[in-house]
Amino acid sequence: MNMIPVANPQAQVSALRTEIDKAISKFLSGNVYILGSEVSAFEQEFASYLGALFACGVANGTDAIRLALMAVGVQAGDEVITVSHSAVATVAAIVEVGAVPVMVDIDPQTYCIDIAAIRSAITPKTRAIVPVHIYGHPADMLSIMQLAKEFNLKVVEDCAQAHGASILGKKIGTFGDAAAFSFYPTKNLGALGDGGAVVCQDPIINERVKNLRQYGWKTRYISDCHGINSRLDEIQAAILRVKLKYLETGNQRRREIGAQYSAALSNSGVIAPYTCEGVKHAMHLYVVQSKNRDALSVYLREEGIATALHYPAAIHQQAAYRIEASLVQTESIYKNILSLPMFPELSEAQVEYICQVLRVWDKD
Ligand SMILES: Cc1ncc(COP(=O)(O)O)c(C=O)c1O
């Protein structure tokens, strides 16, 4: 029996092969490879999908956070409040701009940044907040924007795991001063290589990102400010334009699979993901908590079901970013979290099989 993987970007490529082939063939007939008409078209289509005014294609999600921070005015020495429970990229991007990451605790239900913890961490040096919509569940953006207004802080949303998630019908990525998306292949909207985007509503911020992503050029070859090289490839934009059309149905299917898993786990003692009222979860990852996490993982593997850890260690406990903080909620979940297979192309039979296997689990 083949192992059922946690993610499977190849399955989507197979399903969309004809359309992707056509897009690549069109790209090969052209003579533009970077920042051409496919990138501009994708930028417009992605912004319009989100209900945003602007999207700017960049090389990856980490750069998207970095460029967004630069564009909203974060400078070396500024403090930026974020979480330790995220991909390392969130904190790495803050460090890249020379700012100081201030990692705070999470809400135990949503795993997103805790609002009271943000308030306690604000100092005169705080310049911005980077909430992460972790696993696809939106952070509490209404409270975060209120807090940001009260303390005159900038907000850069990390949307790398939450393409299409929303709060009261408004898509994440449209709340903050800017938002960063990753199109890493396994994401809900994934390229076939690296890619990212900065989304915003302000033409000035958008213009800054456009300059910063290409050596600070306003005019070709003339640098107006210090920028970096972080451009989205034409071929990736062409592929993303195909895949964008299937994002909503993919997310819907992810939520259906999640609901089936949660029903199967309802009497097991395993903690299933929580969704706040009024929120649409993008269900990028389906992460449970089990008191016997390692045994559950071994049991699933023996039944042909792969699992993963998102993540094996909190960022503030990794050598590169270690700080002496006591993040009680964050630290308490790290022994228990486990990601189950989650991608739209899982067949009904596979989902039913996984549910059957989960129903038998009785060690929590
Ligand atoms: C929460 C989060 N932020 C940022 C990133 C960085 O994106 P990328 O890998 O495209 O640089 C990722 C992806 O790994 C992520 O999951």
Side-chain angles (χ1 to χ4, degrees):
M1 185 172 58
N2 283 339
M3 189 75 111
I4 302 175
V6 173
N8 188 3
Q10 213 286 322
Q12 197 190 26
V13 174
S14 290
L16 303 178
R17 186 63 194 257
T18 312
E19 275 190 80
I20 290 173
D21 274 346
K22 215 166 128 191
I24 292 176
S25 175
K26 183 174 159 217
F27 158 79
L28 290 174
S29 307
N31 194 21
V32 178
Y33 303 98
I34 286 168
L35 294 187
S37 60
E38 292 291 339
V39 170
S40 329
F42 172 69
E43 288 173 341
Q44 271 177 19
E45 288 160 8
F46 189 53
S48 148
Y49 165 77
L50 294 171
L53 286 180
F54 305 102
C56 183
V58 300
N60 55 64
T62 314
D63 280 358
I65 303 170
R66 175 184 184 185
L67 288 163
L69 288 169
M70 289 165 83
V72 301
V74 171
Q75 293 183 342
D78 289 342
E79 289 177 4
V80 176
I81 298 174
T82 190
V83 281
S84 169
H85 178 51
S86 183
V88 152
T90 310
V91 167
I94 295 168
V95 171
E96 276 168 14
V97 299
V100 180
V102 176
M103 291 176 259
V104 303
D105 217 344
I106 52 169
D107 173 88
Q109 275 189 311
T110 63
Y111 306 124
C112 293
I113 197 161
D114 180 74
I115 304 305
I118 302 178
R119 187 179 279 277
S120 313
I122 294 171
T123 74
K125 284 187 167 174
T126 308
R127 179 88 180 140
I129 307 169
V130 180
V132 182
H133 307 298
I134 196 80
Y135 306 150
H137 190 293
D140 177 0
M141 289 312 299
L142 304 180
S143 304
I144 292 168
M145 294 317 292
Q146 230 170 27
L147 209 55
K149 198 167 167 200
E150 190 182 332
F151 290 93
N152 194 25
L153 304 174
K154 300 293 180 192
V155 176
V156 171
E157 295 175 65
D158 182 340
C159 304
Q161 301 191 359
H163 316 68
S166 62
I167 302 171
L168 302 174
K170 184 173 158 67
K171 293 228 164 58
I172 58 95
T174 62
F175 289 88
D177 297 280
F181 285 84
S182 162
F183 305 124
Y184 184 81
T186 56
K187 302 299 189 201
N188 290 32
L189 178 60
L192 301 182
D194 275 314
V198 178
V199 166
C200 67
Q201 316 298 328
D202 178 344
I204 298 171
I205 293 177
N206 184 53
E207 201 52 36
R208 274 196 211 130
V209 176
K210 283 201 151 160
N211 300 340
L212 289 166
R213 76 174 165 183
Q214 188 160 235
Y215 319 118
W217 287 352
K218 240 182 203 163
T219 312
R220 198 170 174 75
Y221 302 131
I222 306 296
S223 290
D224 219 51
C225 59
H226 172 68
I228 62 175
N229 173 5
S230 183
R231 302 174 291 212
L232 182 62
D233 289 342
E234 275 290 276
I235 188 167
Q236 300 303 345
I239 292 161
L240 286 165
R241 290 184 71 197
V242 173
K243 288 193 169 196
L244 179 58
K245 291 188 278 176
Y246 300 93
L247 176 57
E248 277 295 299
T249 47
N251 282 354
Q252 186 52 36
R253 173 80 185 129
R254 286 171 183 271
R255 284 188 287 269
E256 282 162 17
I257 297 168
Q260 283 178 258
Y261 289 171
S262 297
L265 288 168
S266 57
N267 295 317
S268 67
V270 172
I271 302 171
Y274 174 83
T275 304
C276 286
E277 189 114 353
V279 149
K280 246 188 186 173
H281 200 308
M283 204 50 82
H284 171 58
L285 294 167
Y286 184 93
V287 179
V288 299
Q289 282 195 66
S290 162
K291 291 197 286 292
N292 290 304
R293 189 266 311 273
D294 294 342
L296 177 58
S297 163
V298 169
Y299 163 66
L300 290 171
R301 191 176 341 119
E302 282 168 354
E303 298 296 334
I305 301 163
T307 59
L309 299 183
H310 297 94
Y311 294 89
I315 303 173
H316 76 288
Q317 295 184 321
Q318 300 183 27
Y321 306 108
R322 199 180 302 281
I323 52 162
E324 286 310 317
S326 167
L327 305 179
V328 177
Q329 299 297 345
T330 301
E331 286 160 27
S332 75
I333 66 169
Y334 266 78
K335 277 197 186 80
N336 302 342
I337 46 178
L338 191 67
S339 308
L340 305 190
M342 176 51 73
F343 51 96
E345 295 77 16
L346 277 167
S347 69
E348 261 319 320
Q350 285 176 313
V351 175
E352 186 37 50
Y353 171 69
I354 295 169
C355 288
Q356 257 176 37
V357 172
L358 291 174
R359 272 186 221 110
V360 179
W361 175 255
D362 60 359
K363 302 215 167 46
D364 262 84

